[in-house]
Amino acid sequence: DMEEMSYVLNYELIKSAKVVYNQNDILIIEIETYVYAGGAHGLSNMQYIHFDMASGETFGLEEIFGLGSNQKIAELLLEKSEEMKQAKASMLFDDAKAEINENFYFDDKNFYFVYNPYEIGPYAAGYITVELPVESVKDLIVKDGPLGFLVIK
Protein backbone atom coordinates (compact mmCIF):
# COMPACT_ATOMS: atom_id res chain seq x y z
CA ASP A 1 0.00 0.00 0.00
CA MET A 2 1.57 3.30 -1.15
CA GLU A 3 -0.01 5.27 1.66
CA GLU A 4 1.82 3.22 4.26
CA MET A 5 5.13 3.74 2.42
CA SER A 6 4.80 7.50 1.86
CA TYR A 7 7.53 8.17 4.43
CA VAL A 8 9.99 6.31 2.17
CA LEU A 9 9.19 8.40 -0.88
CA ASN A 10 9.86 11.87 0.49
CA TYR A 11 13.66 11.78 0.61
CA GLU A 12 16.28 10.93 -1.97
CA LEU A 13 20.06 11.20 -1.98
CA ILE A 14 22.12 10.34 -5.03
CA LYS A 15 25.87 10.75 -5.15
CA SER A 16 28.01 9.93 -8.15
CA ALA A 17 31.62 10.42 -9.13
CA LYS A 18 33.53 10.33 -12.38
CA VAL A 19 37.01 11.09 -13.63
CA VAL A 20 37.08 14.24 -15.78
CA TYR A 21 40.86 14.48 -16.25
CA ASN A 22 43.63 11.90 -15.89
CA GLN A 23 46.83 12.98 -17.61
CA ASN A 24 50.29 14.26 -16.73
CA ASP A 25 50.07 12.82 -13.19
CA ILE A 26 46.95 14.94 -12.54
CA LEU A 27 43.62 13.36 -11.63
CA ILE A 28 40.41 15.35 -11.32
CA ILE A 29 37.29 13.73 -9.93
CA GLU A 30 33.85 15.28 -10.33
CA ILE A 31 31.43 14.54 -7.49
CA GLU A 32 27.76 15.26 -8.05
CA THR A 33 25.23 15.17 -5.23
CA TYR A 34 21.46 15.36 -5.65
CA VAL A 35 19.19 15.67 -2.62
CA TYR A 36 15.40 15.69 -2.62
CA ALA A 37 13.75 16.33 0.72
CA GLY A 38 10.35 17.52 -0.46
CA GLY A 39 9.11 20.52 -2.35
CA ALA A 40 9.06 21.32 -6.03
CA HIS A 41 12.45 19.77 -6.81
CA GLY A 42 15.66 18.56 -5.28
CA LEU A 43 18.96 20.37 -5.27
CA SER A 44 22.11 19.39 -7.12
CA ASN A 45 25.68 20.21 -6.25
CA MET A 46 28.85 19.60 -8.26
CA GLN A 47 32.34 19.74 -6.85
CA TYR A 48 35.79 18.86 -8.14
CA ILE A 49 38.76 17.36 -6.33
CA HIS A 50 42.23 17.79 -7.87
CA PHE A 51 44.99 15.29 -7.14
CA ASP A 52 48.68 15.57 -7.94
CA MET A 53 49.44 11.89 -8.38
CA ALA A 54 53.21 12.45 -8.17
CA SER A 55 52.99 13.92 -4.67
CA GLY A 56 49.75 12.25 -3.57
CA GLU A 57 48.39 15.65 -2.48
CA THR A 58 45.27 17.55 -3.42
CA PHE A 59 45.69 21.04 -4.83
CA GLY A 60 43.70 24.15 -5.67
CA LEU A 61 44.07 27.50 -7.38
CA GLU A 62 46.80 28.74 -5.05
CA GLU A 63 49.11 25.86 -6.03
CA ILE A 64 48.36 26.38 -9.74
CA PHE A 65 48.64 30.15 -9.94
CA GLY A 66 50.44 31.13 -6.77
CA LEU A 67 49.67 34.00 -4.45
CA GLY A 68 48.48 37.27 -5.92
CA SER A 69 46.89 35.82 -9.06
CA ASN A 70 43.31 35.76 -7.75
CA GLN A 71 42.66 39.38 -8.79
CA LYS A 72 43.48 38.72 -12.47
CA ILE A 73 41.50 35.46 -12.57
CA ALA A 74 38.53 37.15 -10.88
CA GLU A 75 38.62 39.93 -13.49
CA LEU A 76 38.68 37.41 -16.34
CA LEU A 77 35.76 35.45 -14.86
CA LEU A 78 33.73 38.63 -14.43
CA GLU A 79 34.49 39.65 -18.01
CA LYS A 80 33.47 36.23 -19.39
CA SER A 81 30.25 36.16 -17.34
CA GLU A 82 29.35 39.65 -18.61
CA GLU A 83 29.95 38.42 -22.18
CA MET A 84 27.63 35.46 -21.49
CA LYS A 85 24.94 37.85 -20.20
CA GLN A 86 25.25 40.14 -23.23
CA ALA A 87 25.11 37.20 -25.65
CA LYS A 88 22.18 35.74 -23.71
CA ALA A 89 24.14 32.49 -23.86
CA SER A 90 22.90 31.43 -20.45
CA MET A 91 20.29 32.28 -17.86
CA LEU A 92 22.53 34.30 -15.56
CA PHE A 93 20.89 36.51 -12.96
CA ASP A 94 21.03 40.20 -13.97
CA ASP A 95 23.21 41.03 -10.98
CA ALA A 96 25.28 37.81 -11.18
CA LYS A 97 29.02 38.05 -10.87
CA ALA A 98 30.99 34.90 -11.62
CA GLU A 99 33.42 35.09 -8.73
CA ILE A 100 36.56 33.04 -8.35
CA ASN A 101 35.94 29.69 -6.69
CA GLU A 102 37.65 26.36 -6.15
CA ASN A 103 34.93 24.57 -8.12
CA PHE A 104 36.80 24.08 -11.38
CA TYR A 105 38.39 21.57 -13.67
CA PHE A 106 40.55 21.96 -16.75
CA ASP A 107 41.87 20.35 -19.88
CA ASP A 108 44.67 21.36 -22.23
CA LYS A 109 42.60 24.22 -23.70
CA ASN A 110 40.43 25.70 -20.92
CA PHE A 111 39.77 26.12 -17.24
CA TYR A 112 36.08 25.50 -16.50
CA PHE A 113 34.68 27.26 -13.43
CA VAL A 114 31.41 25.59 -12.47
CA TYR A 115 28.63 27.33 -10.55
CA ASN A 116 25.89 25.28 -8.92
CA PRO A 117 22.18 26.06 -9.28
CA TYR A 118 21.21 29.37 -7.64
CA GLU A 119 24.82 30.61 -7.37
CA ILE A 120 24.70 32.85 -10.45
CA GLY A 121 21.57 31.62 -12.21
CA PRO A 122 18.19 30.05 -11.50
CA TYR A 123 17.62 26.37 -10.80
CA ALA A 124 16.31 25.91 -14.36
CA ALA A 125 19.71 26.95 -15.74
CA GLY A 126 21.38 23.99 -14.04
CA TYR A 127 25.13 24.13 -13.69
CA ILE A 128 26.63 27.21 -15.31
CA THR A 129 30.17 26.91 -16.60
CA VAL A 130 32.42 29.87 -17.32
CA GLU A 131 35.40 28.98 -19.49
CA LEU A 132 38.79 30.66 -19.32
CA PRO A 133 41.20 29.71 -22.08
CA VAL A 134 44.52 28.39 -20.78
CA GLU A 135 46.21 30.97 -23.02
CA SER A 136 44.56 33.81 -21.07
CA VAL A 137 46.09 32.65 -17.77
CA LYS A 138 49.23 30.87 -18.97
CA ASP A 139 51.53 33.61 -17.67
CA LEU A 140 50.02 33.18 -14.16
CA ILE A 141 50.68 29.44 -13.89
CA VAL A 142 53.46 28.50 -11.47
CA LYS A 143 56.11 26.79 -13.59
CA ASP A 144 57.09 24.28 -10.90
CA GLY A 145 53.50 23.76 -9.73
CA PRO A 146 51.20 20.85 -10.58
CA LEU A 147 50.23 22.40 -13.95
CA GLY A 148 53.67 23.57 -14.96
CA PHE A 149 53.40 21.27 -17.99
CA LEU A 150 50.82 23.69 -19.47
CA VAL A 151 53.43 26.48 -19.50
CA ILE A 152 56.00 24.31 -21.25
CA LYS A 153 53.68 23.53 -24.18
Side-chain angles (χ1 to χ4, degrees):
D1 184 9
M2 291 300 284
E3 198 170 303
E4 289 178 26
M5 293 189 61
S6 64
Y7 69 92
V8 175
L9 304 175
N10 63 4
Y11 186 82
E12 182 177 9
L13 171 65
I14 301 171
K15 197 171 246 312
S16 62
K18 72 177 182 180
V19 172
V20 292
Y21 188 87
N22 188 11
Q23 297 177 34
N24 302 304
D25 283 334
I26 303 295
L27 174 67
I28 303 175
I29 298 176
E30 173 187 275
I31 299 173
E32 184 173 18
T33 305
Y34 173 82
V35 176
Y36 177 77
H41 55 75
L43 188 59
S44 297
N45 181 30
M46 189 86 69
Q47 75 181 96
Y48 297 88
I49 303 174
H50 315 88
F51 294 97
D52 180 340
M53 300 304 286
S55 70
E57 301 289 325
T58 60
F59 64 90
L61 289 176
E62 188 175 304
E63 290 81 11
I64 296 171
F65 297 111
L67 297 171
S69 298
N70 284 357
Q71 174 85 24
K72 175 67 175 169
I73 295 166
E75 289 171 8
L76 291 169
L77 284 170
L78 184 58
E79 182 181 309
K80 286 288 186 182
S81 64
E82 288 301 318
E83 286 174 16
M84 291 169 68
K85 275 193 242 179
Q86 297 303 318
K88 306 229 186 277
S90 66
M91 296 169 47
L92 292 173
F93 293 136
D94 290 339
D95 61 349
K97 291 181 172 68
E99 296 179 355
I100 193 167
N101 67 24
E102 289 286 340
N103 208 31
F104 71 94
Y105 65 100
F106 56 85
D107 57 25
D108 295 337
K109 294 184 171 73
N110 294 298
F111 282 87
Y112 304 93
F113 287 83
V114 179
Y115 298 87
N116 290 302
Y118 296 120
E119 285 187 304
I120 61 173
Y123 177 81
Y127 302 109
I128 296 175
T129 303
V130 179
E131 297 179 17
L132 290 184
V134 167
E135 285 300 318
S136 70
V137 294
K138 203 171 195 176
D139 59 325
L140 301 173
I141 296 173
V142 175
K143 291 173 183 47
D144 60 351
L147 300 190
F149 66 89
L150 290 174
V151 179
I152 297 168
K153 287 187 177 185

